[in-house]
Amino acid sequence: MKLEAVETVRVPMPLVRPFRTSFGLQVARDVLLVHVRTDVGEGWGEAAAHAEPYYNEEFVDASQLVIERFLVPAIVARGDFHSSDLSEIFRRVKGYPAAKAGLEMALLDAELRAADERLVDALGGVRSAVAVGVSVGITSSIDELVATVDGYVGDGYQRVKLKIEPGFDIEVLTAVRAAFPDLALQVDANAAYTSSDLELLRRCDHFNLLMIEQPFAVDDLETHAILAASMATPICLDESIVSLAATRRALDAAACSIVNLKVGRLGGVLSAKAVHDFCFERGVATWCGGMLESGIGRATNVALAALPGCVYPGDISASERYFSQDVTEPFILENSTLAVPRGPGLGVTVDLEAIRTLGGISRKVF
Ligand code: NPG
């Protein structure tokens, strides 16, 4: 295919409820979309970077510039290309996985629509609906957290992930577990602990958790391995899993037994699929993480979560959990699952009127 035009679109999307993690508070998403026109048709993608470089090094202003100044020119210089060439075309640009993911998503969408093929089928997905959960941010009190979880359970979520940080952990888990004895529960620390917290984290074994996600720093595989060897609850890595090579290192170091797949952290859905396949061959469970995406990124996440090795529910909640107005048709929760879109490409229709109403700003790149 050949690139004919590209625009980046920034859409301010207020969250229906603030989302606090150990690395910061978000009240709105600064969504970065990529719209491409090629000789075979159009496509849309989402670069799910965050406003500040607190989750990883990337942040959305930088992602937009990298798309405009480096990634798009690299594709144009190539001339004719296929979506499977993109990782090689992008290799010269170091980092910026969300920027690469957004552009790849848009081009895959265009290419697959032209072939009348669904993303889920191109990836090798095996499900028509995927099990999902909800990720619950840190609250100002335990009562507020229990009430929030109760609301989501009432909405139909059968798996809940709690964000934890030092000082918001054991007491919180004790209260939530007492209120919901049978709920599928897991925790995510976003790298907020250190090796001096090993004893405290081992106490998580009392709460029958599906997993503990990323307790320690991105590059601290050693402490993850020490914790993994000394507790029953599985350790899952998120931030540390930045590539296939990083996944191999983490598994070889026995730093985790579960891997979180995120399109915006791994540089695209094709890299996420490669990490999935590698884990699947080694018998390591995976699941699809989320970065508060709009309907465009969400459609991609749902397709990824349909892969056979994605055996835990994804952080892919219904659209209404995030936004009162999305930029595509909403994803709706049904029996704690989301349906995989039926149409070709990503399978969702972008609502240009919604983008306008939300105050989206488009910039022509090429
Ligand atoms: O439902 O999309 C969602 C949010 C899932 O908790 C979630 N994402 O650390 O995994 C994470 C976290 C996150 C939020 C990461 C914002 C980056 C930014």
Side-chain angles (χ1 to χ4, degrees), residues 45-277:
E46 175 170 357
H50 285 269
E52 302 94 3
Y54 299 158
Y55 166 75
N56 59 11
E57 296 87 341
E58 196 166 359
F59 62 104
V60 71
D61 290 330
S63 317
Q64 186 173 19
L65 276 180
V66 164
I67 289 171
E68 295 171 354
R69 288 186 37 197
F70 302 104
L71 300 179
V72 169
I75 299 173
V76 172
R78 169 66 67 108
D80 213 358
F81 68 98
H82 188 266
S83 61
S84 58
D85 302 325
L86 290 170
S87 67
E88 187 220 317
I89 296 173
F90 292 164
R91 188 167 307 142
R92 194 168 172 202
V93 176
K94 307 298 181 294
Y96 300 98
K100 292 171 179 172
L103 198 45
E104 179 197 79
M105 200 184 295
L107 291 162
L108 268 173
D109 189 34
E111 190 175 75
L112 292 168
R113 277 172 196 271
D116 197 24
E117 189 182 0
R118 300 187 311 159
L119 175 63
V120 64
D121 299 324
L123 294 176
V126 293
R127 294 180 250 276
S128 55
V130 300
V132 301
V134 61
S135 174
V136 183
I138 292 167
T139 50
S140 24
S141 73
I142 292 181
D143 284 351
E144 186 189 341
L145 182 67
V146 171
T148 307
V149 172
D150 194 47
Y152 287 132
V153 169
D155 291 342
Y157 289 102
Q158 290 165 15
R159 184 286 257 159
V160 168
K161 161 166 137 179
L162 302 178
K163 292 290 188 178
I164 57 168
E165 65 180 3
F168 194 85
D169 41 42
I170 300 299
E171 204 187 333
V172 167
L173 275 169
T174 307
V176 173
R177 196 31 110 200
F180 307 95
D182 303 319
L183 183 63
L185 203 58
Q186 63 191 65
V187 294
D188 181 5
N190 288 112
Y193 293 87
T194 68
S195 56
S196 57
D197 299 309
L198 281 163
E199 206 40 61
L200 179 141
L201 289 165
R202 285 185 190 114
R203 289 166 63 196
C204 288
D205 265 352
H206 297 133
F207 303 105
N208 185 25
L209 302 176
L210 293 175
M211 68 189 83
I212 302 179
E213 205 179 333
Q214 195 76 42
F216 308 116
V218 177
D219 57 355
D220 191 358
L221 294 181
E222 198 186 354
T223 308
H224 282 105
I226 293 169
L227 185 64
S230 61
M231 70 188 299
T233 308
I235 307 302
C236 170
L237 288 179
D238 170 359
E239 284 91 328
S240 300
I241 304 293
V242 294
S243 64
L244 191 55
T247 310
R248 182 181 292 118
R249 274 196 297 277
L251 296 182
D252 288 348
C256 68
S257 55
I258 302 177
V259 167
N260 170 314
L261 304 173
K262 264 186 197 163
V263 172
R265 187 197 68 231
L266 281 162
V269 72
L270 299 180
S271 314
K273 149 87 173 152
V275 170
H276 162 276
D277 292 354

Side-chain angles (χ1 to χ4, degrees), residues 30-43:
D30 186 350
V31 170
L32 172 59
L33 302 178
V34 184
H35 182 203
V36 298
R37 200 181 72 224
T38 73
D39 57 336
V40 299
E42 287 183 46

Side-chain angles (χ1 to χ4, degrees), residues 298-320:
R298 192 162 310 284
T300 306
N301 288 346
V302 166
L304 182 65
L307 290 175
C310 288
V311 292
Y312 288 98
D315 273 349
I316 324 172
S317 307
S319 308
E320 65 169 15

